[in-house]
Amino acid sequence: MHPALAVIFLTLFSGGGFGLMALVAVVNDFHIEGGLNPLQTLVAVLISLVFVTIGMLSSTAHLANPKNAWRAFTRWRTSWLAREGIFAVLFYPFAGLYLLWVYFTQAPADSVGLVLANLAGLIGLVTIFCQGMIYAVLRTIRQWNTPLVPANFYFMGLGIGATILAAERIVFGAPATAFVALAVALLVAAAVLKGIYYFWISRPGGPTIRTATGFNRLTVRILDQGHTFGTFLTEEFGHTLPAARARNVKLLMYLVAFVIPIAALAFALGTGSAAAALIAAAAVVVGIGIERWLFFVEAQHVVNLYHGRPSC
Amino acid sequence: MRLGLVIDLDTCVGCHACAVACKEWNTSGTTGALTDYQPYGAKPSGVWFNRIRHYEIGEYPYNKTVNFPMSCMHCENAECVTVCPTGASYKRAEDGIVLVDQNKCMGCNYCSWACPYGARELDRASGTMKKCTLCIDRIYDMEIPEEERQPACVLTCPAHARMFGDFDDPESPVSRAVRERGGYQLMPELNYNPSNHYLPPRVHAPIPTEGMRKKAAAKVKAWVNRVVER
Ligand code: SF4
Ligand code: SF4
Ligand code: SF4
């Protein structure tokens, strides 16, 4: 698939924003390490809203005909994309009201505040599920057609959220041991789950050029694609990544998305260094951005079979 | 009704006439224009509803060239319609034709991801998704003679490699052709249940090319060729 920056940003930033909001709700529900004070809550919810907005804006940038974007809320009965749009928009009033409530009452964990925070967090988690299902329902792309996709989206989104929250606590000088522990646990789980995913998609399977053309018992080779230069199909679906390069990018991804944030968080927790905490937050966003780029570029649509690939 | 096409891979000569006729008819049709990018430039490209690819199947000497036209298959399980968030993509209940309402499409490309057969192409000029309409503006046009109420690609094919008809009627020419010639669907394992069917090439004994006794005329011709070459 063409790794369009718009869709990478959509799933990356909105996933992180929703994960952050869900964790804010959990932390204030259970008063983890005293909970977040009003200022910490405001900053976290604001970051979450900014992230979700970056995601939403870049998703509209991806549309070729954005004037019809409002229609995307109409087919929620069948389309996960429509469902995602609806829940993403529904997130705003609850997160926004929580922000205002905390700002005016300075009570992030009273019952009204908690109801708003939990609803926002829940809607955020539902949106992440819809986002994952947008890809997971496509039988045309073997690398996406697996429940591991929404599972990955969950752990990555929550991992980004937890890292940002832990970094914020350290920057504010508040006790952060439980926050760092939560972030490390989520990042490790995300890394393991991604490893399972990579193992899964590396096994061959799915349609071949033979089943695509119907000559099931013969060798089939492309003689001519029938077009002089690229078409929409080759531009949108033709991208590949040579195996050696994919391995290197994956190593880089594991380093930036998981190793650096975990090390930086541990260091920041020990020394109270705000710079290390910020590095952790930045690295996790960049690293999972690389993971999302891989997610798109490694997806091999079956239409490539008709352009001569033996299998996808 | 379940309207669709039958493509005869035995007789298709790969001339691309159907693709050209399709483009000509539909560029001024309901989902037109079919925009061209840089038509006279260095990298000509553009929107087509119908593309023909060419394959070699089998191993020498039992190999064969197969020309392979593909347009929208008007699938029964049209996931392209299921995933469309705007309702721009729809499948008509009365005849199974899958269409894109150009006034509703927001150009998100999602339906093209869901189509296994590469039938949908985004028009970068209009920002909307376009695809084969099964020439809906021909097949129901009461102003033209009845025998011409067929898709442009079917009418134009010089090899009669394309047939149009109703697959729900077991006695229609398309149903009979599929039954008698072993017509099949592409990538059945994805379970889109496409309406369009493909007729496999007929099995012929390979034409021998080696170790044949040359006829007298051929001998003379070979001798003349040698002489003329000198
Ligand atoms: S061929 Fe593609 S565009 Fe046509 S109905 Fe089937 S899935 Fe949809
Ligand atoms: S590109 Fe248009 S027709 Fe296709 S899914 Fe998006 S809105 Fe629907
Ligand atoms: S049926 Fe019409 S629109 Fe479809 S490929 Fe043939 S000519 Fe083109």
Side-chain angles (χ1 to χ4, degrees):
Chain A
M1 289 287 305
H2 170 57
L5 219 49
V7 272
I8 295 177
F9 274 27
L10 163 65
T11 56
L12 170 69
F13 281 102
S14 64
F18 294 135
L20 180 56
M21 186 66 227
L23 290 172
V24 167
V26 170
V27 165
N28 281 344
D29 281 345
F30 296 100
H31 244 263
I32 295 175
E33 274 187 316
L36 298 167
N37 71 22
L39 181 62
Q40 290 164 10
T41 309
L42 285 177
V43 171
V45 176
L46 211 58
I47 295 174
S48 157
L49 278 167
V50 168
F51 268 38
V52 173
T53 308
I54 294 175
M56 290 300 119
L57 289 181
S58 50
S59 80
T60 16
H62 172 65
L63 302 178
N65 192 22
K67 74 172 192 300
N68 278 341
W70 62 274
R71 290 186 189 274
F73 304 114
T74 55
R75 290 304 151 116
W76 50 271
R77 277 200 187 82
T78 60
S79 170
W80 284 102
L81 186 52
R83 291 169 196 163
E84 187 244 10
I86 289 173
F87 283 111
V89 168
L90 214 57
F91 173 78
Y92 278 96
F94 293 102
L97 279 177
Y98 183 53
L99 194 74
L100 291 177
W101 182 261
V102 177
Y103 183 75
F104 285 113
T105 67
Q106 296 290 310
D110 66 351
S111 42
V112 178
L114 281 186
V115 165
L116 290 172
N118 281 294
L119 280 174
L122 192 68
I123 293 169
L125 293 184
V126 172
T127 318
I128 295 183
F129 179 66
C130 296
Q131 271 174 358
M133 289 307 287
I134 290 175
Y135 304 98
V137 290
L138 296 174
R139 295 202 294 279
T140 47
I141 299 172
R142 182 173 66 83
Q143 292 81 359
W144 287 355
N145 191 17
T146 152
L148 288 170
V149 169
N152 274 318
F153 276 27
Y154 266 120
F155 278 89
M156 301 265 171
L158 290 169
I160 294 175
T163 309
I164 290 177
L165 208 53
E168 191 199 328
R169 286 285 279 205
I170 293 170
V171 170
F172 274 108
T177 315
F179 288 79
V180 171
L182 180 68
V184 169
L186 282 170
L187 287 177
V188 168
V192 170
L193 206 57
K194 198 67 208 183
I196 297 176
Y197 169 85
Y198 285 138
F199 176 74
W200 211 257
I201 65 166
S202 69
R203 305 180 320 164
T208 63
I209 192 171
R210 298 183 181 199
T211 62
T213 53
F215 302 111
N216 296 340
R217 296 159 72 180
L218 296 169
T219 52
V220 182
R221 276 178 299 274
I222 186 93
L223 290 177
D224 195 303
Q225 298 189 343
H227 52 79
T228 332
F229 284 97
T231 69
F232 169 75
L233 300 172
T234 59
E235 286 162 21
E236 183 78 358
F237 303 115
H239 294 253
T240 50
L241 198 60
R245 190 138 168 257
R247 234 185 348 264
N248 291 341
V249 180
K250 278 175 197 167
L251 282 178
L252 178 74
M253 184 276 284
Y254 268 101
L255 186 72
V256 182
F258 304 115
V259 178
I260 292 180
I262 290 175
L265 276 183
F267 179 77
L269 184 67
T271 63
S273 152
L278 293 176
I279 286 174
V284 81
V285 173
V286 173
I288 292 181
I290 301 173
E291 181 273 330
R292 233 18 78 83
W293 180 84
L294 278 165
F295 175 74
F296 282 98
V297 103
E298 284 204 312
Q300 299 299 310
H301 194 284
V302 289
V303 79
N304 289 306
L305 301 172
Y306 293 107
H307 292 148
R309 291 216 198 129
S311 66
C312 281
Chain B
M1 267 206 303
R2 181 182 180 185
L3 298 181
L5 301 176
V6 163
I7 314 284
D8 189 344
L9 297 178
D10 190 62
T11 57
C12 176
V13 291
C15 66
H16 292 238
C18 55
V20 175
C22 169
K23 181 122 176 169
E24 185 189 18
W25 175 259
N26 285 291
T27 202
S28 46
T30 44
T31 37
L34 278 65
T35 312
D36 280 326
Y37 320 120
Q38 303 190 30
Y40 305 105
K43 293 183 173 177
S45 175
V47 180
W48 295 77
F49 292 173
N50 186 6
R51 292 186 181 272
I52 296 91
R53 300 174 179 102
H54 309 270
Y55 302 96
E56 180 190 10
I57 62 167
E59 298 290 345
Y60 177 84
Y62 301 101
N63 55 345
K64 183 175 169 48
T65 299
V66 174
N67 307 297
F68 213 92
M70 288 176 72
S71 51
C72 173
M73 314 275 160
H74 300 281
C75 307
E76 280 293 279
N77 304 328
E79 290 280 294
C80 56
V81 172
T82 316
V83 302
C84 173
T86 61
S89 285
Y90 62 104
K91 184 171 175 70
R92 287 160 47 111
E94 61 270 38
D95 52 19
I97 298 180
V98 174
L99 293 173
V100 182
D101 185 335
Q102 298 294 307
N103 293 324
K104 289 186 180 165
C105 174
M106 63 175 186
C108 64
N109 285 356
Y110 192 22
C111 55
S112 72
W113 297 2
C115 172
Y117 306 111
R120 292 173 166 255
E121 301 193 10
L122 184 82
D123 186 329
R124 302 197 194 283
S126 66
T128 51
M129 196 52 73
K130 298 191 171 172
K131 62 176 284 300
C132 159
T133 63
L134 209 60
C135 285
I136 196 149
D137 39 11
R138 279 197 75 89
I139 57 178
Y140 291 114
D141 188 349
M142 293 299 156
E143 302 289 309
I144 55 178
E146 195 180 341
E147 63 275 15
E148 284 185 24
R149 287 178 212 153
Q150 296 209 42
C153 56
V154 173
L155 284 177
T156 214
C157 178
H160 295 290
R162 304 175 75 92
M163 268 181 266
F164 162 73
D166 176 12
F167 289 92
D168 270 351
D169 172 5
E171 287 314 314
S172 69
V174 286
S175 297
R176 248 185 291 127
V178 167
R179 204 160 54 232
E180 286 163 11
R181 297 267 314 275
Y184 61 90
Q185 300 166 316
L186 306 184
M187 271 191 287
E189 65 272 39
L190 290 187
N191 195 26
Y192 277 57
N193 194 359
S195 291
N196 289 11
H197 283 67
Y198 286 75
L199 305 183
R202 292 182 175 87
V203 179
H204 300 285
I207 299 165
T209 52
E210 282 161 13
M212 291 172 60
R213 233 183 59 214
K214 285 193 177 137
K215 291 214 178 77
K219 274 184 194 156
V220 173
K221 219 168 104 189
W223 178 79
V224 169
N225 276 343
R226 258 203 320 276
V227 171
V228 171
E229 208 180 4
R230 278 187 209 124

